[in-house]
Amino acid sequence: MTNKIYKDKSNMSSQKDPFLVANHSFASRLMLGTGKYNNLNEARKSILTSGASIVTVAIRRAQYAKNIGKSNLIDGLNWKKLWILPNTAGCETAEEAIRIAKIGYEINKKIGQIDNKFVKLEVISDSQYLFPDPIGTLKAAEYLVNQGFDVLPYIYPDPILAKQLEEIGCKTIMPLGSPIGSGQGLQKVNDIARIIENASVPIIVDAGIGRASEASQAMEMGASGVLINTAIAKSKNPVIMAHSMKLAVISGRKCYLAGIMKKEKRAQPSSPTNGLLKII
């Protein structure tokens, strides 16, 4: 049975086109990261304006902030209206990621989301480009799936790895658009398209989106959603950018559902060519 929808009242049409992840239904297909904002208030306003249902929190950073007594988003957001997606960011090995995922689940329970076993799985040993480790990711994903977690793995856009992760039971696949925080947009469009084409689980484009048009592009391709952080948090006005991304995701999804026209090699007249008046 599907759990309750986390509603964004400005986009109630989502109930006709539900965004389902692991038998949970969410109103918004825009997922937000919570790092890099100037302050907690700015983050809260941006999240609210975005209409996001799911927000991801790096468990290592959240734990650190709490230990030194600083306010953090885990304490500052209304978890009755938002769904937390614990993130294993900062983990370099499968073993680290597994340990952090378990801590994330304990946090979920503390904020009242007892049935939330979501984890955004990141295993990144590359400190320069922050590309995810495919072997470590697959290893950690298999273990966590067997432990009952709903695993959302972050990967390089490799169609073969994406299918392997789906087959072991991951609930979505999250291919990167381009390196984390780079704002370079969708660099591997064809590979992402192949992943979407072959998947039977939601595909969330994560990392690298820098502007609203790129978020819309991902949705027009048939992605189920996008996850955005830096493009909003590091813009000149994060609240306005959050609203822009919200509209882009909605627009891109509607474009995809409407059915995009095929490209033609030659111009096609928009008016009928028969029955024209002859000028004498």
Side-chain angles (χ1 to χ4, degrees), residues 184-205:
Q184 294 177 19
L186 307 185
Q187 292 186 330
K188 297 289 184 179
V189 173
N190 290 336
D191 292 328
I192 294 172
R194 296 294 80 77
I195 292 172
I196 293 170
E197 180 183 345
N198 295 322
S200 56
V201 296
I203 303 300
I204 312 297
V205 176

Side-chain angles (χ1 to χ4, degrees), residues 113-132:
Q113 296 185 10
I114 298 173
D115 60 340
N116 183 351
K117 296 204 77 173
F118 280 37
V119 59
K120 183 191 174 194
L121 177 60
E122 292 188 19
V123 181
I124 300 175
S125 55
D126 168 23
S127 61
Q128 184 174 6
Y129 296 105
L130 301 180
F131 288 135

Side-chain angles (χ1 to χ4, degrees), residues 97-110:
I98 290 167
R99 181 172 59 84
I100 294 299
K102 291 178 179 179
I103 294 173
Y105 178 52
E106 294 304 314
I107 290 175
N108 294 354
K109 291 192 291 184
K110 287 181 180 179

Side-chain angles (χ1 to χ4, degrees), residues 182-256:
S182 69
Q184 294 177 19
L186 307 185
Q187 292 186 330
K188 297 289 184 179
V189 173
N190 290 336
D191 292 328
I192 294 172
R194 296 294 80 77
I195 292 172
I196 293 170
E197 180 183 345
N198 295 322
S200 56
V201 296
I203 303 300
I204 312 297
V205 176
D206 178 16
I209 289 175
R211 58 187 69 196
S213 59
E214 293 160 358
S216 184
Q217 179 188 6
M219 299 304 296
E220 289 172 11
M221 290 169 58
S224 297
V226 297
L227 197 158
I228 299 173
N229 185 186
T230 308
I232 295 175
K234 289 304 179 183
S235 65
K236 292 182 180 179
N237 191 317
V239 176
I240 293 177
M241 184 61 78
H243 188 234
S244 174
M245 292 296 184
K246 171 184 177 178
L247 297 178
V249 169
I250 293 172
S251 174
R253 180 64 179 177
K254 288 183 178 295
C255 179
Y256 170 74

Side-chain angles (χ1 to χ4, degrees), residues 2 10 39 57 59 70-71 77 79 86 92-93 100 111 115 124 150 174 182 186 222 224 228 233 242 250-251 268:
T2 301
S10 65
N39 53 65
V57 176
I59 297 305
K70 293 184 178 180
S71 61
L77 292 177
W79 297 113
E92 297 183 357
T93 67
I100 294 299
I111 64 173
D115 60 340
I124 300 175
D150 296 320
M174 306 183 75
S182 69
L186 307 185
S224 297
I228 299 173
I250 293 172
S251 174
Q268 304 292 320

Side-chain angles (χ1 to χ4, degrees), residues 1-6 18-26 115:
M1 184 175 181
T2 301
N3 286 341
K4 65 181 179 180
I5 294 176
Y6 282 71
F19 175 35
L20 297 172
V21 182
N23 291 324
H24 294 260
S25 181
F26 302 97
D115 60 340

